[in-house]
């Protein structure tokens, strides 16, 4: 079928429907003269079947439901008066005046030319041509076929001769110019007889010229789209139950253009007589006020829920802390009393032995002495017992359960959980906190008794107390490790070891490659060229396979600013500790880290963001470290953890790291300009020079001996690392005259490492220094035998742990579902704290609905298309920009969590799940404004479904932009893409396949379909014309919704794939 023929189909549909409906009317009506109607009914029955088959096969694109649409256009059963009047007026000749199917086809083919342009006149036919132009050819007039049989069931391929008995078209019917037949007007139209206006020479209201050779006018002349036959439509403010009756709208009702009934107003007093449309702006204003109040409540009370929850938890924690401290205090009193009692018993025994060596007279006085000692001892014991009893009594008043027990020898033993009896609840928060703080206080007591423990001391203490280090030990060795980026070498021939149970400092001047060294050790070398090897426990394993037990603290404080200190630590613990770890163990771990990092005072404070200030910079740095400590790592790497901290905070952090080392953790940290006290808290030192060379790697206690053998002495009152870094920077020149550039070569020669080929020239340039080193090799202990001996001793002590290394992949962290639950809780808290920002989004969306609903007033001929186009652009833009915040703002936090082994799927699904709340609410907010200010005919429920699918779709696109582009580019794309796609989908010259690829086309089609269904009757031809020209199909409503949701799902899959595949830029 040619394009011009397809263009005529929608209009042809309208009149074919007329014929079918008319046939149905004739079957259903009560004919006043059955003998006259019998032949016509028989013929119209056959015509009904023919037209029904034609419409069902060719013209279904604008008919939602054939029965409903036909009844809405031509069901006159409620009032057949105009049909009866026509039968009486034509004296039973009505059937011979009705158009045949061929005449209907001819009429609509003549309305438009091959290019789709409207014709002013119909083509010629057998009845109306240059040689034959009867009166029935004039607009508003019709003729009969004569006295022969009714031609409806006759030859359908020809137009029958119809030139006799020409007269005016009946009221309720229209008679086109150039045809001599008549057709019934659809419901919603008003087709009275035209009246002659002799002033203008036209027939009102149809605007055709007065019929020649007559003094009057005929009936209605044509029915087409609204733009062509506007005067046929029942005017607004009136309703037309039949094509011949026009009634004004009564008070409390409104009547739109082309109405057949009057509609009730929601607020009746705002609808006077002849109201054309209901004014729902007042209702929209009420909703605006309600929305404003709701947003104010959300803005001011969003954080109260979390605050109340935190206060309840804090009360349980404070009770537990008080109980634990009271019990420790009671134990110390009891222990002091026992020591005092032993002291007095020992004194009494010595007193008795001296007494037996005296004279008998003195012996007689012994009972008095013996009476005094017990009294004195009893008095002391009574005081101690009273103190102990008082403390115990005080604890029992708070809570009768005991968290810390006293052993027979006075030691502290943490009370174990008793199995909860059946039918009773599990341990309360207070009981769990009591256990945790009992353990913490016990550790503090032990630390006081064992100060300044080295790793050797730790092993001895472990042996004595029969404790075992539960964490797997990781010894990291790097041999000839070289890292290059292009032609530039960042690290060169690095050799050394990192030992478990020791704290290693990495120092060096700026540009020496300290951070690069940490990345190389932890396997973060994507994009670099790596040579050499990194061994884990002596095996050539990929260190990334151990990422679940490796903690990496980045240089920047990558923490969640909209979470509290405790929430940041707790999330890391829940996701990264073993899935088999009990809740009590997790509480103990988190509370131990909070206590060791001195974060008790700010545990419930928000960390803070750039816009909202939170804790101090030093506290934020400690939280950054604590996130890795709570996951109980075996290897803890820290990049400048003390930068920006004062001396006391740095020492506090180092004490916490040394405590981790006592658990067998391998700790390595980059530090800048440590104080002398802080410097001495490290066990080992790795000193790097510019160019990525190692100058020293060994114990801190022997570093001065090493440099002393090279003629480098540290001046008095100068911090050793500062002096060495100044030499490597070239600021200070050694007194021995040694070249600072040759220090890495001295280290390689001293330890027997192979010198790289590209350094052979520098090796030759060393000259006498090399000879000096070679001659003094046998007599001067500059090759650090002490270091090697110390390493050998410690290696022997942990050999049993390293000889049979555990399966380090055995730590089974929580699965995707469990992590999804944890992420869900975290994102919920973040959204509650960001409720003010969300309320601003809702406010802007509501204002957009008010503006667009007011500006883009509903236009019936276009079915509100301009307003829906603006809606698609505005909602897409606002929702995409809001979706960017879901992933753009937490990119660094996600990369850190992904590197530590957390589930990316759980992260993505949790954020998308919480965003579904906005996806559901935003259409409500927008439509509550737009709908009542624009007042379309479609229901708010139908519009909501389309808008919900649109928001879901554009949110997925926003995710993709946020993940694939930087924030600036993502915002630019979010602003431009909706405008471009919407324009493409509405342009006629855009290829159809390209339109189908744009989500805007499907959204607009969905909006137009739900609105077009509310335009029945006289609007059928207008509906078909609009849908045809826009290439829409009224049956594609579900398809539009499905495509939008599938687009949203597709872009979410793309966004997740990008989240996994795209590396850190």
């Amino acid at each position: 079928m040619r394009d011009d023929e397809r263009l005529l189909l929608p209009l042809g549909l309208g009149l074919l429907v007329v014929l079918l409906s008319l046939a149905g009317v004739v079957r259903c009506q009560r004919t006043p003269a059955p003998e006259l109607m019998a032949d016509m009914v028989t013929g119209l029955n056959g015509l009904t079947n023919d037209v029904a088959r034609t419409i069902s096969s060719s013209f279904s694109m604008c008919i939602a439901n054939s029965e409903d649409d036909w009844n809405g256009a031509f069901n006159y059963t409620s009032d057949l008066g105009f049909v009866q009047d026509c039968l009486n007026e034509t004296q039973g000749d009505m059937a011979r005046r009705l158009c045949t199917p061929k005449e209907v086809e001819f009429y609509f083919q003549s309305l438009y030319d091959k290019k789709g342009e409207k014709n002013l006149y119909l083509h010629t036919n057998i009845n109306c041509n240059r040689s034959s132009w009867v009166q029935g050819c004039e607009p508003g007039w019709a003729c009969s076929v004569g006295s022969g049989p009714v031609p409806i069931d006759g030859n359908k391929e020809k137009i029958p001769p119809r030139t006799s008995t020409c007269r005016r078209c009946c009221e309720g019917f229209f008679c086109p110019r150039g045809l001599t037949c008549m057709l019934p007007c659809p419901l919603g139209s008003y087709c009275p007889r035209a009246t002659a206006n002799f002033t203008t020479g036209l027939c009102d209201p149809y605007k055709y010229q007065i019929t020649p050779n007559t003094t009057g006018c005929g009936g209605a002349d044509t029915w087409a789209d609204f733009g062509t036959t506007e005067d046929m439509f029942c005017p607004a403010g009136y309703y037309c139950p039949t094509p011949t009756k026009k009634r004004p709208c009564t008070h409390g009702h409104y009547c739109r253009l082309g109405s057949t009934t009057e509609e009730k107003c929601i607020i009746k007093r705002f609808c006077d007589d002849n109201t054309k449309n209901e004014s729902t702006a007042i209702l929209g204003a009420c909703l605006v006020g309600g929305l404003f109040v709701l947003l104010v409540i959300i803005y001011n009370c969003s954080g109260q829920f979390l605050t109340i929850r935190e206060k309840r938890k804090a009360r349980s924690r404070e009770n537990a802390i008080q109980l634990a401290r009271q019990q420790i205090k009671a134990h110390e009193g009891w222990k002091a009393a026992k020591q005092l009692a032993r002291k007095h018993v020992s004194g009494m025994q010595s007193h008795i032995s001296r007494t037996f060596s005296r004279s008998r007279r003195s012996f007689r006085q012994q009972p008095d002495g013996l009476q005094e000692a017990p009294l004195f001892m009893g008095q002391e014991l009574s005081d101690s017992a009273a103190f102990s009893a008082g403390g115990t009594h005080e604890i029992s008043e708070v809570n009768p359960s005991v968290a810390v027990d006293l052993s027979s020898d006075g030691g502290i033993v943490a009370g174990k959980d008793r199995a909860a009896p059946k039918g009773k609840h599990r341990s309360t928060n207070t009981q769990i906190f009591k256990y945790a703080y009992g353990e913490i206080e016990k550790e503090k007591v032990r630390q006081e008794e064992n100060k300044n423990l080295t790793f050797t001391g730790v092993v001895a203490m472990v042996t004595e107390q029969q404790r075992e280090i539960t964490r797997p030990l990781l010894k990291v060795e790097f041999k000839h490790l070289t890292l290059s980026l292009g032609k530039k070498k960042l690290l060169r021939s690095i050799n050394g070891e990192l030992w478990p149970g020791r704290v290693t400092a990495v120092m060096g001047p700026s540009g020496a490659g300290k951070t690069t060294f940490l990345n190389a050790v932890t396997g973060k070398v994507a994009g670099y060229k790596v040579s050499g090897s990194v061994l884990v426990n002596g095996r050539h394993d990929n260190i990334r396979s151990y990422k679940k037990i490796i903690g990496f603290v980045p240089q920047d404080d990558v923490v969640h600013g909209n979470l509290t200190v405790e929430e940041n630590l707790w999330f890391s613990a829940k996701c990264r500790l073993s899935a088999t770890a009990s809740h009590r163990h997790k509480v103990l771990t988190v509370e131990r880290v909070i206590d060791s990092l001195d974060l008790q005072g700010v545990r419930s404070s928000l960390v803070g963001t750039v816009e909202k200030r939170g804790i101090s910079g030093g506290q934020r740095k400690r939280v950054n470290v604590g996130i890795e400590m709570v996951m109980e790592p075996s290897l803890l790497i820290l990049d400048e953890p003390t930068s920006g901290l004062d001396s006391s905070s740095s020492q506090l952090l180092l004490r916490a790291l040394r405590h981790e080392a006592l658990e067998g953790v391998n700790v390595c940290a980059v530090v800048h300009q440590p104080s002398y006290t802080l410097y001495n808290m490290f066990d080992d030192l790795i000193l790097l020079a510019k160019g990525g060379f190692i100058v020293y790697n060994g114990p801190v206690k022997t570093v001065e001996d090493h440099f002393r053998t090279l003629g480098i002495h540290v001046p008095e009152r100068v911090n050793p690392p500062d002096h060495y870094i100044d030499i490597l920077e070239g600021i200070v020149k050694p007194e021995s005259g040694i070249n600072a550039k040759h220090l890495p070569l001295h280290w390689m020669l001293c330890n027997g490492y192979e010198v790289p080929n590209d350094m052979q020239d520098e090796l030759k340039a060393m000259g006498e220094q090399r000879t000096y080193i070679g001659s003094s090799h046998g007599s001067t202990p500059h090759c650090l035998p002490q270091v090697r001996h110390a390493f050998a001793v410690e290696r022997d002590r942990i050999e049993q742990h390293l000889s049979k290394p555990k399966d380090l992949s055995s730590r089974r962290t929580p699965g995707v579902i469990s992590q999804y639950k944890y992420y869900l809780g975290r994102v919920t808290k973040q959204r509650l704290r960001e409720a003010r920002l969300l309320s601003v989004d809702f406010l802007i969306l509501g204002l957009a609905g008010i503006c667009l609903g007011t500006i883009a007033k509903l236009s019936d001929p276009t079915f509100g298309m301009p307003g829906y186009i603006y809606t698609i652009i505005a909602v897409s833009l606002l929702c995409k920009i809001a979706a960017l915040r879901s992933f753009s703002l937490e990119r660094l936090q996600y990369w850190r969590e992904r590197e530590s082994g957390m589930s990316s799927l759980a992260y993505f699904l949790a954020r998308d799940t919480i965003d579904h709340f906005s996806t559901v609410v935003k259409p409500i907010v927008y439509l509550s404004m737009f709908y009542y200010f624009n007042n379309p005919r479609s229901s708010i429920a139908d519009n909501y479904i389309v808008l919900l699918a649109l928001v879901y779709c554009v949110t997925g696109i926003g995710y993709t932009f946020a993940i694939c582009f930087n924030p600036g580019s993502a915002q630019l794309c979010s602003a431009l893409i909706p405008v471009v796609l919407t324009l493409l989908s509405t342009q006629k010259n855009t290829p159809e396949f390209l339109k189908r690829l744009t989500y805007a086309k499907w959204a607009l089609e969905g909006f137009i379909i739900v609105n077009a269904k509310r335009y029945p009757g006289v609007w059928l031809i207008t509906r078909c014309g609009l849908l045809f020209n826009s290439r829409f199909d009224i049956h594609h409503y579900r398809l539009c919704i499905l495509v939008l949701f599938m687009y949203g799902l597709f872009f979410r899959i793309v966004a997740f794939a990008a989240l996994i595949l795209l590396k850190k830029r």
Side-chain angles (χ1 to χ4, degrees):
M1 183 179 293
R2 297 192 308 270
D3 292 341
D4 56 329
E5 292 177 345
R6 287 198 299 267
L7 187 61
L8 301 176
L9 293 181
L11 298 178
L13 168 63
L15 286 186
L16 289 176
V17 171
V18 171
L19 285 177
L20 176 61
S21 302
L22 178 63
V25 168
V26 174
R27 288 197 303 268
C28 298
Q29 69 179 351
R30 296 179 181 178
T31 172
E35 65 279 3
L36 298 177
M37 296 295 297
D39 294 338
M40 185 177 67
V41 169
T42 302
L44 288 178
N45 283 336
L47 178 63
T48 299
N49 296 329
D50 294 339
V51 175
R53 284 193 298 268
T54 303
I55 291 178
S56 299
S57 60
S58 304
F59 308 105
S60 61
M61 46 82 64
C62 61
I63 300 299
N65 184 289
S66 57
E67 183 177 354
D68 293 341
D69 285 332
W70 296 337
N71 288 333
F74 304 105
N75 187 0
Y76 306 113
T77 54
S78 60
D79 190 349
L80 296 175
F82 77 99
V83 177
Q84 181 178 350
D85 292 341
C86 185
L87 286 172
N88 294 333
E89 183 180 347
T90 59
Q91 299 178 357
D93 196 33
M94 175 181 170
R96 292 179 174 83
R97 297 178 181 273
L98 294 177
C99 294
T100 63
K102 186 62 179 179
E103 288 173 305
V104 172
E105 181 181 354
F106 170 79
Y107 169 69
F108 286 107
Q109 287 181 350
S110 300
L111 285 178
Y112 294 89
D113 59 18
K114 295 181 179 181
K115 297 181 179 180
E117 301 294 335
K118 292 182 180 179
N119 284 325
L120 297 177
Y121 305 101
L122 299 181
H123 300 303
T124 59
N125 57 73
I126 188 174
N127 297 315
C128 302
N129 52 60
R130 293 182 180 181
S131 60
S132 175
W133 190 271
V134 297
Q135 191 175 24
C137 295
E138 298 294 333
W141 288 73
C143 300
S144 174
V145 294
S147 59
V150 178
I152 293 181
D153 260 348
N155 190 351
K156 300 180 181 180
E157 299 299 327
K158 295 181 180 181
I159 296 177
R162 195 192 300 271
T163 57
S164 63
T165 319
C166 296
R167 61 190 307 161
R168 293 179 179 88
C169 197
C170 296
E171 287 190 345
F173 293 82
F174 70 95
C175 299
R177 182 184 184 279
L179 281 179
T180 57
C181 60
M182 65 181 187
L183 291 167
C185 295
L187 292 174
S189 64
Y190 181 57
C191 302
R193 284 275 175 83
T195 57
N197 187 337
F198 295 100
T199 302
T200 61
L202 299 178
C203 294
D204 293 335
Y206 306 111
K207 307 302 180 185
Y208 59 81
Q209 293 182 347
I210 298 176
T211 307
N213 303 324
T214 65
T215 59
C217 297
D221 63 329
T222 186
W223 172 45
D225 59 284
F226 178 81
T228 304
T229 57
E230 179 180 357
D231 296 327
M232 179 184 278
F233 285 69
C234 187
Y238 297 84
Y239 69 98
C240 302
T242 67
T244 59
K245 295 180 180 179
K246 182 178 70 172
R247 297 175 182 175
C249 255
T250 60
H251 178 75
H253 298 80
Y254 68 95
C255 300
R256 299 177 188 264
L257 183 67
S259 297
T260 57
T261 59
E262 53 183 0
E263 301 289 339
K264 290 184 178 180
C265 296
I266 299 176
I267 305 177
K268 292 185 177 181
R269 63 178 181 176
F270 290 105
C271 293
D272 298 327
D273 293 337
N274 299 103
T275 300
K276 298 180 180 180
N277 200 351
E278 183 180 14
S279 178
T280 55
I282 184 66
L283 184 59
C286 295
L287 290 176
V288 170
L291 178 63
F292 178 78
V293 173
L294 178 62
L295 293 179
V296 169
I297 294 174
I298 294 174
Y299 188 86
N300 291 282
C301 304
S302 57
Q304 294 300 317
F305 173 76
L306 294 177
T307 302
I308 294 172
R309 188 168 176 264
E310 288 298 328
K311 286 182 178 179
R312 293 176 57 187
K313 193 173 181 180
R315 284 196 295 267
S316 299
R317 185 170 55 249
E318 292 299 328
N319 291 338
I321 294 174
Q322 184 180 6
L323 290 174
R325 290 176 178 174
Q326 288 174 349
Q327 289 167 353
I328 292 296
K329 186 176 180 181
H331 165 69
E332 292 298 323
W334 171 249
K335 188 175 181 180
K338 288 180 65 177
Q339 292 177 353
L340 185 61
R342 289 174 181 173
K343 180 179 178 181
H344 282 286
V345 169
S346 177
M348 183 183 65
Q349 291 176 351
S350 61
H351 179 71
I352 292 174
S353 60
R354 286 196 304 270
T355 302
F356 277 105
S357 63
R358 295 179 182 177
S359 60
R360 183 178 301 177
R361 182 177 177 181
S362 300
F363 181 78
R364 293 177 181 176
Q365 297 176 357
Q366 184 177 353
D368 297 335
L370 289 174
Q371 290 176 2
E372 292 178 0
L375 287 175
F376 177 75
M377 182 180 67
Q379 184 179 0
E380 294 291 333
L381 286 174
S382 298
D383 293 340
S384 300
F387 173 77
S388 178
T392 305
H393 177 69
E394 187 176 353
I395 293 173
S396 62
E397 286 182 353
V398 180
N399 197 318
S401 61
V402 178
V404 178
D405 299 331
L406 305 179
S407 61
S408 59
D409 59 351
I412 306 174
V413 179
K416 297 182 179 180
D417 296 340
R418 296 181 180 178
K422 294 182 179 180
K424 294 187 178 181
H425 298 289
R426 294 185 299 176
S427 299
T428 61
N429 285 333
T430 302
Q431 293 172 339
I432 295 176
F433 280 124
K434 272 185 8 179
Y435 164 77
Y437 280 100
E439 286 287 330
I440 293 173
E441 294 296 330
K442 178 180 67 174
E443 291 174 358
K444 288 182 179 179
V445 172
R446 287 179 178 172
Q447 288 176 5
E448 290 296 326
E449 296 175 352
N450 304 278
K451 291 183 178 180
N452 300 323
L453 288 178
T454 62
F455 184 66
T456 305
V458 172
V459 176
M461 184 181 66
V462 170
T463 304
E464 292 176 359
Q465 298 183 358
Q466 296 182 352
R467 293 181 55 188
E468 293 185 359
I469 298 177
T470 57
R471 303 188 195 183
L473 301 180
L474 289 185
K475 185 186 80 169
V476 180
E477 303 174 67
F478 30 95
K479 297 181 178 180
H480 307 292
L481 183 61
T482 301
L483 197 67
S484 303
L485 183 60
K487 296 182 179 180
K488 183 179 180 181
K489 292 186 177 181
L490 305 178
L491 296 176
R492 302 182 67 182
S493 191
I494 300 295
N495 294 275
E497 297 172 328
L498 297 176
W499 284 86
R502 297 182 70 84
V503 182
T504 303
V506 180
M507 301 183 191
S510 298
K514 299 182 292 296
T515 301
T516 305
F517 167 73
L518 296 185
N519 291 332
V521 169
T522 53
K524 299 180 180 181
V525 291
Y528 296 92
K529 181 180 179 182
V530 183
S531 62
S533 58
V534 178
L535 284 71
V536 181
N537 291 342
R539 297 184 300 182
H540 291 272
D541 295 333
N542 187 353
I543 196 169
R544 296 299 300 157
S545 62
Y546 299 84
K547 63 182 179 180
K548 291 185 179 181
I549 56 174
I550 296 177
F552 185 88
V553 180
Q555 182 176 349
D556 299 323
D557 301 329
V558 183
V559 293
H560 293 278
N562 48 11
L563 295 178
T564 64
V565 171
E566 184 178 7
E567 288 167 354
N568 272 285
L569 300 180
W570 252 110
F571 179 78
S572 180
K574 288 189 292 187
C575 288
R576 300 174 67 184
L577 285 175
S578 175
T580 59
S582 64
H583 179 65
R584 175 163 293 196
H585 174 71
K586 294 177 182 178
V587 172
L588 173 61
T589 303
V590 173
E591 296 299 327
R592 180 187 288 136
V593 170
I594 291 176
D595 185 75
S596 63
L597 294 177
D598 194 22
L599 296 172
Q600 283 287 4
V602 295
R603 64 182 304 155
S604 298
S605 302
L606 290 177
V607 174
T609 59
V610 177
E611 297 84 5
K612 186 176 182 180
R613 181 171 174 80
I615 59 179
S616 66
Q619 292 166 340
R620 187 185 181 95
K621 179 73 69 175
R622 280 178 270 159
V623 174
N624 189 31
V625 176
I627 288 176
E628 302 300 326
M629 291 175 60
V630 294
M631 51 85 64
E632 296 184 344
S634 295
L635 174 62
L636 182 58
I637 306 295
L638 305 97
D639 192 1
E640 300 186 21
T642 59
S643 297
L645 301 182
D646 55 21
S647 179
S648 60
S649 298
S650 298
Q651 292 182 31
L652 175 67
L653 180 59
L654 258 294
R655 282 196 294 269
L657 295 179
R658 288 193 63 83
H659 184 270
E660 289 293 302
L662 297 181
E663 299 289 335
V665 180
N666 190 340
V667 182
C668 180
V670 172
V671 291
H672 273 302
Q673 294 181 332
S675 63
Y676 185 75
T677 303
L678 192 68
Y679 167 70
N680 283 306
M681 295 179 69
F682 289 97
D683 297 314
D684 298 325
L685 171 66
I686 295 178
L687 191 59
L688 296 176
K690 285 188 176 181
F693 296 101
I694 278 190
V695 175
Y696 177 81
N697 180 14
V700 170
K701 295 181 180 179
T702 60
V703 62
E704 294 187 44
D705 294 337
H706 169 71
F707 282 101
R708 195 177 296 115
T709 60
L710 300 176
I712 299 176
H713 301 273
V714 180
E716 294 183 1
R717 299 183 181 180
V718 176
N719 195 10
D722 293 341
H723 182 66
Y724 300 144
I725 291 175
D726 289 343
I727 292 175
L728 295 175
E729 283 277 13
I731 300 175
V732 177
K733 294 185 178 181
E735 298 178 356
S736 62
I738 190 172
N739 192 340
K741 295 182 179 180
H742 296 161
L743 291 177
L745 287 173
H746 284 287
W747 175 255
M748 294 179 188
L749 296 174
C750 174
N751 291 274
Y753 298 140
E754 182 181 354
V755 178
N757 294 329
D758 56 354
M759 298 182 65
Q760 293 295 329
D761 294 337
E762 295 183 11
L763 181 62
K764 295 178 181 179
M766 288 176 59
E768 296 181 357
Q769 292 182 4
R770 179 183 178 188
T771 305
Y772 165 74
I773 294 173
S775 62
S776 60
H777 180 75
S779 58
T780 306
H782 65 279
C783 292
L784 304 180
Q786 302 95 331
V787 177
R788 296 178 178 175
H789 176 71
F791 274 37
V793 171
E794 293 179 3
R795 187 184 300 111
D796 294 338
R797 291 185 178 275
I798 63 172
E799 184 178 1
Q800 56 180 348
H801 296 285
L802 299 181
S803 59
K804 295 181 180 180
K806 297 181 180 179
D807 183 5
L808 298 180
S809 61
S810 62
R811 174 181 282 193
R812 188 175 61 86
T813 55
V816 175
I817 296 178
S818 298
Q819 290 191 38
Y820 169 75
K821 181 179 67 174
Y822 299 145
Y823 272 112
L824 208 61
R826 187 184 77 177
V827 179
T828 301
K829 294 177 182 178
Q830 291 175 317
R831 289 292 183 267
L832 287 175
R833 294 193 176 102
E834 295 172 354
R836 297 182 178 183
L837 190 59
L838 190 62
S839 64
V840 173
D841 289 342
F842 290 161
L843 181 61
I844 295 175
L845 201 62
L847 292 176
I850 294 174
C851 295
L852 296 180
T854 305
I855 296 173
K857 281 295 185 181
L858 178 67
S859 175
D860 285 322
T862 61
F863 297 171
M865 181 178 288
Y868 288 128
I869 291 175
Y870 299 149
T871 293
I872 294 172
I873 295 175
V875 172
S876 298
L877 189 150
L878 294 175
C879 292
K880 283 181 184 178
I881 292 179
L884 297 181
R885 295 197 299 267
S886 294
F887 293 95
S888 292
L889 300 180
E890 291 192 355
R891 186 172 294 177
L892 295 178
Q893 288 87 340
Y894 164 72
W895 281 331
R896 178 177 183 177
E897 291 169 357
R898 185 179 72 173
E899 292 293 332
S900 65
M902 293 190 193
S903 172
S904 297
L905 179 61
Y907 170 80
F908 184 87
L909 290 179
R911 302 197 72 84
D912 185 43
T913 301
I914 296 301
D915 283 345
H916 286 343
F917 171 78
S918 298
T919 303
V920 172
V921 174
K922 284 181 178 179
I924 298 176
V925 173
Y926 180 82
L927 284 178
S928 64
M929 304 294 106
F930 175 82
Y931 187 84
Y932 291 102
F933 282 90
N934 186 264
N935 198 13
R937 294 198 181 191
S938 55
S939 68
I940 192 171
D942 291 336
N943 284 272
Y944 173 78
I945 294 175
V946 179
L947 197 57
L948 175 67
L950 174 63
V951 173
Y952 182 81
C953 173
V954 298
T955 300
I957 298 175
Y959 289 166
T960 305
F961 291 162
I963 294 172
C964 295
F965 307 121
N966 58 53
S969 300
Q971 291 177 3
L972 182 62
C973 290
S974 299
L976 291 180
I977 293 298
V979 179
V980 174
L981 293 183
T982 305
L983 291 177
L984 284 176
S985 64
T986 55
Q987 295 299 314
K988 292 183 178 180
N989 55 356
T990 303
E992 187 65 22
F993 79 92
L994 189 58
K995 285 185 178 181
R996 291 181 176 273
L997 293 178
T998 63
Y999 72 87
K1001 182 263 181 188
W1002 298 101
L1004 182 61
E1005 183 173 0
F1007 282 124
I1008 295 301
I1009 287 174
V1010 297
N1011 222 23
K1013 290 180 179 179
R1014 300 304 179 101
Y1015 286 85
V1018 70
W1019 292 100
L1020 278 178
I1021 292 182
T1022 306
R1023 178 210 289 182
C1024 292
L1026 179 66
L1027 294 179
F1028 178 79
N1029 290 330
S1030 301
R1031 300 294 190 271
F1032 295 160
D1033 192 321
I1034 203 168
H1035 298 287
H1036 286 173
Y1037 174 69
R1038 292 183 179 180
L1039 178 63
C1040 294
I1041 303 301
L1042 179 62
V1043 169
L1044 288 174
F1045 276 111
M1046 291 303 294
Y1047 265 130
L1049 181 61
F1050 170 76
F1051 280 106
R1052 279 167 171 80
I1053 295 174
V1054 172
F1056 177 69
L1059 193 69
I1060 297 297
L1061 300 178
L1062 294 183
K1063 301 297 182 181
K1064 183 176 180 180
R1065 291 188 290 268

